[in-house]
Amino acid sequence: MPSVKYAKKRLWRWRSNPLRRRDDVVEAWTVLATWTAFTVGGTVAALVTAHVAYEVFAEQRAERQSVRATLLNGVPLSTPTIGGASDRKTAAVRWTASDGSTRTGRTQVNTGLKAGSRVTVWQDRRGRLTAAPLNSTDAAIESGFLGAAAAAGLAGLVFGAGAVTRWQLDRRRLDAWEREWGRVGPRWSHETS
């Protein structure tokens, strides 16, 4: 049964053992704490971040509204470039805000439109131009990515802290071994007759 043998080998720090040192027990608890913090903390960080991000996107969808605007200047077609041409350019537009006032501003529009063309723009509650909100599907995907990034960031911090702790324990063990060898080594170097 290789799996039982492997498990016994991996869990030796938890069993009573005459070779087990205090640093071995601290390392075992450090590894357990690291994996627990990663599992529980990463899950919580991912879920909370994804939920908050989705709520922010939902608030943006509720707050922003589309309005029809008139393009003030023509937007020529993009010329192909090595890096690829964008099909959207910044241009000046005029629209009527929700309070009835006429406003002008700059926003991204499709290329190839002539002055006077009607375009759809997005405004916030104050009547300022803003980007289009994400639809619910894109918001869910973006929230998932943000949650995964939060979990990955926490994992980096947790595993980094665990690695630093284990490195310090290794340094302490090496120093202890060196001191012990300083006491025992000279007795072994005598020649016997």
Side-chain angles (χ1 to χ4, degrees):
M1 290 203 190
S3 62
V4 172
K5 200 176 202 180
Y6 178 75
K8 284 183 179 181
K9 182 179 177 184
R10 296 294 291 170
L11 298 174
W12 72 271
R13 288 181 180 92
W14 294 100
R15 293 191 324 264
S16 179
N17 182 336
L19 298 177
R20 185 180 68 179
R21 297 163 299 227
R22 183 178 158 278
D23 290 346
D24 296 328
V25 175
V26 170
E27 182 178 21
W29 281 105
T30 299
V31 169
L32 179 65
T34 299
W35 280 101
T36 302
F38 166 67
T39 305
V40 175
T43 302
V44 169
L47 291 175
V48 167
T49 302
H51 178 72
V52 168
Y54 191 80
E55 291 299 318
V56 167
F57 295 140
E59 184 179 309
Q60 288 176 353
R61 280 193 304 277
E63 169 184 282
R64 297 177 183 179
Q65 60 182 344
S66 63
V67 293
R68 297 293 290 168
T70 304
L71 190 61
L72 297 178
N73 302 321
V75 183
L77 285 171
S78 299
T79 56
T81 60
I82 294 175
S86 171
D87 60 341
R88 295 183 63 81
K89 298 280 185 192
T90 302
V93 294
R94 180 178 53 239
W95 75 101
T96 303
S98 55
D99 63 2
S101 63
T102 301
R103 298 192 181 183
T104 59
R106 297 184 67 76
T107 189
Q108 293 280 319
V109 296
N110 292 332
T111 59
L113 298 175
K114 296 181 181 182
S117 298
R118 300 287 287 167
V119 294
T120 301
V121 297
W122 289 86
Q123 67 178 359
D124 61 13
R125 288 185 180 148
R126 295 185 189 112
R128 296 179 302 195
L129 288 179
T130 185
L134 295 176
N135 63 34
S136 59
T137 303
D138 290 341
I141 292 169
E142 186 73 20
S143 298
F145 280 129
L146 291 171
L154 181 69
L157 290 173
V158 167
F159 284 121
V164 166
T165 303
R166 291 182 76 189
W167 175 77
Q168 289 173 339
L169 289 170
D170 285 342
R171 294 295 306 157
R172 283 177 47 181
R173 279 192 284 254
L174 288 173
D175 291 343
W177 288 339
E178 188 175 342
R179 284 191 306 275
E180 188 70 27
W181 184 251
R183 286 191 307 242
V184 175
R187 288 189 276 170
W188 284 18
S189 62
H190 296 288
E191 291 185 22
T192 58
S193 53

